[in-house]
């Protein structure tokens, strides 16, 4: 029996995770669910999945949830509140598997807590890995935890690695990773129109249905930049051995290029329940609810190199991946602030990379030697990004 804590259970990944679990009630038990402040959805999830714990980070939302729970048939659910409660439920001894699906840097501490507790960590929250340097990978290794990638590309790469391959190792006989990208909603938009795109246009992804932050990241291609850093950490590969390939159909989810000329790929419909089911059942396989791939309907698979003039975030991420230090932390934090400002219509779409570039130039870039230095760099970058945005405001 796998016993789960789902961090970020009301989000896109969280909901897909609970959908897969509900198909196999005999194999999975939900011990804890967490959300930021979406009371309605967390309450419904509590009624359906009957966890031991439900965490609402927001205090008012927790009070609201508590009173609804007490008046319901699920009155055994313990409601907790605050950020510390996230780490608490992620490290419970009766949990063995943690789905890390909080969006952004807010997911770092609970994900680290899960690794420190030696649990199996299913990692969707790429920002937690990107910002942490090698800290999260080290916590996994030191505590005999298991890390499995949920991000569809990294899950595809993991599935295409040699038999017995363990995340974090250098893979024998692999010379290159081909990291595929859809190119997002603005792949062919006339480039001069990019400065006036709206948040609604940016979050309308052609192939994937995702949360708002990652949807904007896909539109700027910073998502692929974060994934480049993520792949470099998960598979111990230098950035220059990771090639980004635009593949608009999103059917191949990434590829591994071997020394002997073999290229292995994982294919499937673009539905996150496939990588979620793969990681939940690993090394076994389970039914996920995903439509079987109709290869005749797909017909053609296209590939093209990314356009760096259109997507300046790619160059920023590549440089950061090569230079290291606290740069990945600064890149991630300033991107989070810039995306939020864009979603609130305070800056233009094309100003997102400008905010990040400015922060990378301004904020200290020492080698991160501790969690404190990472959290410090994260806080400084957020402050610098907010300052810069104030000057940009139209
Ligand atoms: P989402 O916005 O739909 O959901 C985010 C979840 O995190 C919600 O449950 C929300 O309540 C919770 N949350 C938000 N802010 C929080 C905070 N400050 N503290 C605690 N909890 C908080 O996001 P999503 O699309 O499900 O993405 C989640 C993560 O998975 C992201 O890191 C994203 O990059 C990654 N990911 C998502 C997809 C996808 O298809 N959606 C694919 C690959 C990777
Ligand atoms: Mg991805």
């Amino acid at each position: 029996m796998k016993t789960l804590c789902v961090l970020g259970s009301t989000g896109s990944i969280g909901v897909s995770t609970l959908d897969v679990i509900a198909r196999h009630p005999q194999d999975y038990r939900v011990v804890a669910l967490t959300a930021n402040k979406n009371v309605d959805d967390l309450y419904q999830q509590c009624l359906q999945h009957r966890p031991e714990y439900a965490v609402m980070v927001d205090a008012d939302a927790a009070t609201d949830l508590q009173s609804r729970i007490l008046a319901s048939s699920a009155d055994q659910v313990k409601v907790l509140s605050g950020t510390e409660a996230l780490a608490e439920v992620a490290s419970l001894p009766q949990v063995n598997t943690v789905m890390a699906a909080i969006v952004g840097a807010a997911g770092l501490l609970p994900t680290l807590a899960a690794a420190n507790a030696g649990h199996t960590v299913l990692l969707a929250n790429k920002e937690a890995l990107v910002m942490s340097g090698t800290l999260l990978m080290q916590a996994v290794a030191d505590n005999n935890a298991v890390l499995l990638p949920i991000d569809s590309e990294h899950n595809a790469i993991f599935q295409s690695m040699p038999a017995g391959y363990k995340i974090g190792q250098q893979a024998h006989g692999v010379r290159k990773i081909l990291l595929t990208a859809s190119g997002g909603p603005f792949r062919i938009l006339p480039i001069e129109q990019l400065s006036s795109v709206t948040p609604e246009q940016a979050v309308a992804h052609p192939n994937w249905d995702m949360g708002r932050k990652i949807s904007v990241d896909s539109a700027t291609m910073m998502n692929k930049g974060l994934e480049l850093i993520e792949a470099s950490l998960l598979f111990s590969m230098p950035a220059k051995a990771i090639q980004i390939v635009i593949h608009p159909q999103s059917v191949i989810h990434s590829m591994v290029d071997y020394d002997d000329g073999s290229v292995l790929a994982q294919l499937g419909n673009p539905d996150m329940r496939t990588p979620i089911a793969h990681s939940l059942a690993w090394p076994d396989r389970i039914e996920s609810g995903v439509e079987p791939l109709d290869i005749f309907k797909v017909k053609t698979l296209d590939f093209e190199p990314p356009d760096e003039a259109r997507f300046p975030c790619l160059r920023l991420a590549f440089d950061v991946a090569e230079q290291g230090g606290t740069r990945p932390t600064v890149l991630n934090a300033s991107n989070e602030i810039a995306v939020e400002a864009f979603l609130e219509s305070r800056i233009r779409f094309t100003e997102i990379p400008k905010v990040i570039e400015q922060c990378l130039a301004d904020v200290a870039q020492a080698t991160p030697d501790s969690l404190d230095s990472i959290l410090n760099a994260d806080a400084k970058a957020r402050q610098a990004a907010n300052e810069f945005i104030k000057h940009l405001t139209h």
Side-chain angles (χ1 to χ4, degrees):
M1 170 72 80
K2 292 196 176 165
T3 51
L4 272 117
C5 164
V6 183
L7 299 168
S9 65
T10 57
S12 163
I13 294 288
V15 168
S16 293
T17 303
L18 293 176
D19 178 279
V20 175
I21 286 172
R23 293 164 193 275
H24 307 277
Q26 67 292 356
D27 298 325
Y28 301 94
R29 183 165 64 83
V30 177
V31 177
L33 296 174
T34 85
N36 194 22
K37 52 186 173 203
N38 185 339
V39 185
D40 292 342
D41 289 2
L42 196 61
Y43 174 62
Q44 289 304 329
Q45 292 181 344
C46 285
L47 292 185
Q48 190 187 346
H49 296 278
R50 308 278 163 155
E52 288 174 42
Y53 295 91
V55 179
M56 297 252 55
V57 174
D58 182 84
D60 293 339
T63 308
D64 187 358
L65 181 68
Q66 177 74 78
S67 57
R68 289 201 223 177
I69 289 282
L70 284 177
S72 79
S73 61
D75 59 353
Q76 80 290 354
V77 177
K78 296 185 199 73
V79 177
L80 306 177
S81 122
T83 51
E84 309 77 41
L86 297 172
E88 191 182 326
V89 296
S91 48
L92 286 170
Q94 65 270 45
V95 164
N96 56 35
T97 307
V98 176
M99 167 57 77
I102 289 174
V103 58
L108 177 63
L109 294 179
T111 306
L112 262 179
N116 285 330
H119 294 338
T120 295
V121 180
L122 314 185
L123 185 75
N125 181 201
K126 65 193 89 183
E127 298 93 342
L129 180 62
V130 168
M131 73 184 286
S132 77
T134 53
L135 206 78
L136 180 56
M137 296 302 288
Q138 199 56 50
V140 169
D142 290 349
N143 296 284
N144 275 325
V146 174
L147 186 67
L148 298 171
I150 294 295
D151 215 346
S152 58
E153 297 77 4
H154 306 74
N155 183 271
I157 294 162
F158 180 52
Q159 293 198 48
S160 306
M161 281 296 196
Y165 174 77
K166 217 173 139 235
I167 291 286
Q169 287 175 344
Q170 251 174 325
H172 185 68
V174 170
R175 62 185 170 194
K176 207 162 82 176
I177 284 173
L178 301 171
L179 185 67
T180 56
S182 69
F186 305 139
R187 183 174 59 89
I188 50 179
L189 186 81
I191 203 161
E192 63 280 3
Q193 291 179 25
L194 278 179
S195 67
S196 52
V197 298
T198 64
E200 287 62 39
Q201 287 172 293
V203 299
H205 196 280
N207 305 342
W208 298 93
D209 180 14
M210 311 181 285
R212 283 165 73 78
K213 192 263 177 180
I214 184 176
S215 297
V216 175
D217 285 347
S218 298
T220 61
M221 284 198 77
M222 181 54 96
N223 183 50
K224 215 46 56 179
L226 296 173
E227 290 184 358
L228 174 84
I229 301 169
E230 181 185 14
S232 162
L233 287 162
L234 290 175
F235 306 111
S236 283
M237 295 278 272
K240 62 179 184 314
I242 303 170
Q243 185 178 356
I244 295 171
V245 178
I246 304 266
H247 164 47
Q249 291 89 357
S250 298
V251 167
I252 292 183
H253 299 307
S254 279
M255 300 173 252
V256 175
D257 184 346
Y258 286 82
D259 288 337
D260 64 4
S262 301
V263 178
L264 301 194
Q266 184 260 6
L267 287 73
N269 279 318
D271 186 324
M272 288 306 292
R273 290 176 300 176
T274 294
I276 290 168
H278 172 262
S279 300
L280 277 172
W282 184 84
D284 205 354
R285 295 273 179 177
I286 54 170
E287 205 276 319
S288 65
V290 175
E291 278 282 299
L293 180 67
D294 183 345
I295 205 86
F296 298 116
K297 226 157 121 191
V298 175
K299 282 198 174 67
T300 49
L301 298 173
D302 296 315
F303 306 99
E304 55 192 63
D307 175 353
E308 286 194 2
R310 178 182 291 272
F311 300 115
C313 287
L314 284 177
R315 167 54 52 192
L316 293 174
F318 185 82
D319 290 347
V320 158
E322 291 234 298
Q323 294 159 6
T326 56
R327 288 177 187 83
T329 315
V330 173
L331 175 97
N332 178 66
S334 53
N335 180 56
E336 285 189 29
I337 296 295
V339 169
E340 191 177 272
F342 167 68
L343 282 171
E344 291 168 2
S345 302
R346 286 185 280 122
I347 62 171
R348 291 175 188 277
F349 182 76
T350 42
E351 286 170 336
I352 295 173
K354 292 186 180 146
V355 173
I356 300 163
E357 192 165 19
Q358 187 68 39
C359 289
L360 283 168
D362 288 356
V363 178
Q365 295 156 352
T367 301
D369 46 11
S370 64
L371 180 59
D372 275 352
S373 63
I374 288 166
L375 296 178
N376 191 24
D378 177 86
K380 275 193 175 148
R382 281 168 202 271
Q383 201 184 355
N386 278 318
E387 284 298 319
F388 187 60
I389 286 168
K390 260 191 237 153
H391 294 298
L392 279 177
T393 304
H394 309 281

